[in-house]
Structures are given as C-alpha cells and as structure tokens.
Amino acid sequence: MSAAEVEDTYAEAFRSIYAEILITARDRTWLDHAVQAATGNASSTILCDCEAGLDRYVGPGGDEAFATPDGRPGAVVQFHVPRFRKDRVPALERSLLVRVSQNVLTCATASCFNLLDTEPYFRLGRKLAFFGDGHQTRDVRWGRNVWVVPILGGEFVIDRRFGFRDGLMGGNLWFMGRDLDAALLAAERAAYAVRSIPGVILPFPGGVAASGSKAGSRYKFAIASTYEAFCPTLRDKLGAQSKVPAGVGSVMEIILNGRDLETLCRATQAAIAACRDTPGLLKLSAGNYGGRLGKSFIYLLPERQPAVTA
C-alpha cells in the first residue's frame, strides 16, 4: 500500500483575536458537560458568534504538568473571532460572557479561570457576578483574585479578569478518499493527532468538516456556499470545472485555529503523518484563496514552509 499523495500547496490562515480559559470541575463527566455546552454551535463564524473548541485536558486525568488552581480536572478552551471584524473586541467579549454565564456557571461543580494575562482585558468575572443579585463577593482563592457567586449548588468561582490576544483561524487540511469511509477515517486519524498539540482547536463536530465552503454565493443573502468544484457528486455535471481527482468519491476536511503560525504548522504536519497511510486515501490537499483571505500560509510540504519568526 502506497502513502497518499501530498499536494504541493498551502492552507491560508487568517488573523483572529482569541480568549483562552480554563474550566475545572469535580470529575471528567461534569467537565465534559461544561466544555461541550460552552463550545456548542461554534463551528464556523459564517453564522456562529465565534469559533470555539477544546484545546486539551489538564490537571488530574490530563496533562498533569499543567496544574489547575483548585487541583481538579481541567480543560483548556479557546474562543476565536476574525480580526477583520470591526466589532471584534466587543464581539469576543459578548461570546465569552454568554457562553460562560449560560453554560459554565450553570454546569454542576464547574469553575472558570483566565489563561491569558494581557492588557487590555475583559472584566468578565465582574459582569457575570451580577447574577449574584448583590450577594456576590470578591475573594482570593488559590492566590487568584476571583468573584464568588452563591448558587443553588454551592458557589461558582470565576477569575475577575480575562485576557485576549491575536491568534489564527482557518488552517485546514483536505482528505480525498476513494470513498466516504476512507476519507472519514483519514480525517479522524488526523484530528486525533492534532489534539496532541497544545494551543490548537478543531471547532467542527468531532473535529471534522464534511461541508467545506467557499466565500460567496450566487444568492445575495448568503456569504458562503458549498465548494462545488470539490463535490464528488458534481463531477459529471461540472465537467472540466470540477477539481475532484479521478477515483475520489469523498472529501473531508479539518479546520485548525490556534495561538500562532508555528503551532498550526506543527499540528498540520502531525495530522499528515498520522493519516497518510490510511487505506483508500488518495490525496491530501488544502484550501486557499491566493492570499485574498489571509497572509499566513501553512504549507503541506514542510520543506516549502518559510522559517517562522516571532
């Protein structure tokens, strides 16, 4: 069995601003409930308020080199909005406030901490603490300045300040398989490998996007639409305009967001190495717009990647 072809191309990432938080809970069960709720409906900023996802588990049961403030199981979560949005800062703050207040505050045993000490910052803890209706208190717990909100289950503890900084969105990798099973297995293997790289999230369900899109549409009310040139079922209809290679029956995609270009490059190479020998995988490729969307290029062939400078 030969390894799949890796096309000499690049994924075109674009700048974001992002927040990074730590959720802790009594055990993995309730931690997962909080993470899944807080990152729900956050696959694509085409229609979602942000793109969010799990970076990694830390503390007991996860990366134990990363100690959580309260010593409980934790999860690092990122929230991204595109930097090209003029309202990017208030939009990110709104996403954080809504998602933490409605999905972490409400989750049994959960607490929430900031991981980015930056200027400027959001006074997220103070805003959420108003839920305490005057019974909220400021305190110092585990050496951190926090708000404590009385709730039916006991207390909800949250850091007072939450930072944000520049990141990247839109790294991607395409898996062109002989059939659906091959393309999906390759994408699953790639997603699993990416999860071992700190600083990266895969915002789509299960880390995989089955409906890759292009910018624009023939309909004026839509800002994005199906990438018809890469839809296998349209090969005959499109004829010479189809870009689906011969023998390919299904194309899957992963989208990578993260802290910086170096991290996304490392994650992309981990994904390629993990899936290239998948039975029935014919080709690996990526989506780009010739630099019209973003200026951060992630090359699939590592020798083509320019040195990343800070």
Side-chain angles (χ1 to χ4, degrees):
M1 180 183 66
S2 59
E5 173 192 355
V6 179
E7 185 175 357
D8 183 4
T9 188
Y10 59 87
E12 185 175 327
F14 53 96
R15 296 173 69 190
S16 70
I17 62 170
Y18 78 101
E20 189 172 71
I21 71 172
L22 171 67
I23 301 171
T24 67
R26 184 183 67 178
D27 52 46
R28 177 64 72 84
T29 295
W30 286 105
L31 180 61
D32 282 344
H33 285 315
V35 170
Q36 290 164 9
T39 61
N41 190 30
S43 297
S44 170
T45 55
I46 292 173
L47 282 179
C48 302
D49 60 290
C50 70
E51 293 186 9
L54 171 69
D55 175 347
R56 65 196 187 281
Y57 292 105
V58 296
D63 178 2
E64 298 194 3
F66 188 124
T68 60
D70 54 11
R72 303 190 302 169
V76 177
V77 177
Q78 291 182 7
F79 304 83
H80 290 252
V81 298
R83 189 171 175 80
F84 57 69
R85 284 186 61 166
K86 293 182 179 180
D87 66 341
R88 57 187 176 271
V89 174
L92 179 59
E93 183 179 26
R94 173 69 177 173
S95 292
L96 269 182
L97 179 60
V98 169
R99 290 171 179 274
V100 173
S101 67
Q102 301 305 295
N103 301 297
V104 184
L105 168 68
T106 61
C107 184
T109 79
S111 294
C112 188
F113 304 98
N114 170 52
L115 292 179
L116 298 179
D117 294 322
T118 63
E119 296 276 356
Y121 53 81
F122 301 132
R123 297 182 185 274
L124 187 70
R126 179 175 181 271
K127 291 186 176 182
L128 183 146
F130 283 117
F131 179 72
D133 199 27
H135 302 285
Q136 66 271 22
T137 58
R138 289 186 292 183
D139 200 355
V140 177
R141 303 269 179 100
W142 313 289
R144 306 175 74 95
N145 294 321
V146 301
W147 280 98
V148 180
V149 182
I151 58 174
L152 301 189
E155 293 180 333
F156 179 73
V157 178
I158 183 170
D159 276 345
R160 298 182 198 173
R161 299 177 177 180
F162 284 74
F164 61 95
R165 63 161 61 119
D166 288 343
L168 285 177
M169 303 173 70
N172 65 84
L173 194 60
W174 293 356
F175 310 87
M176 299 182 174
R178 182 173 294 115
D179 52 29
L180 171 62
D181 290 341
L184 184 55
L185 178 58
E188 289 173 333
R189 289 178 171 180
Y192 183 82
V194 169
R195 293 188 182 102
S196 69
I197 308 297
V200 182
I201 65 167
L202 299 169
F204 281 80
V208 179
S211 58
S213 60
K214 67 178 187 300
S217 167
R218 68 176 60 188
Y219 303 109
K220 293 182 180 180
F221 56 80
I223 62 173
S225 58
T226 192
Y227 210 152
E228 74 280 359
F230 290 95
C231 292
T233 58
L234 297 179
R235 182 192 284 111
D236 292 340
K237 180 179 180 180
L238 295 179
Q241 293 181 317
S242 174
K243 297 181 180 180
V244 180
V248 170
S250 182
V251 181
M252 292 287 164
E253 181 181 16
I254 61 172
I255 308 296
L256 304 90
N257 298 344
R259 61 169 68 121
D260 52 38
L261 181 58
E262 181 180 6
T263 302
L264 291 188
C265 288
R266 187 162 62 250
T268 297
Q269 291 305 317
I272 292 172
C275 75
R276 194 177 176 190
D277 292 332
T278 302
L281 180 66
L282 302 181
K283 187 175 183 178
L284 288 162
S285 188
N288 64 71
Y289 299 89
R292 296 190 302 276
L293 178 63
K295 304 301 180 184
S296 297
F297 298 167
I298 304 165
Y299 287 85
L300 273 55
L301 299 179
E303 63 271 19
R304 296 271 284 154
Q305 189 71 47
V308 177
T309 57

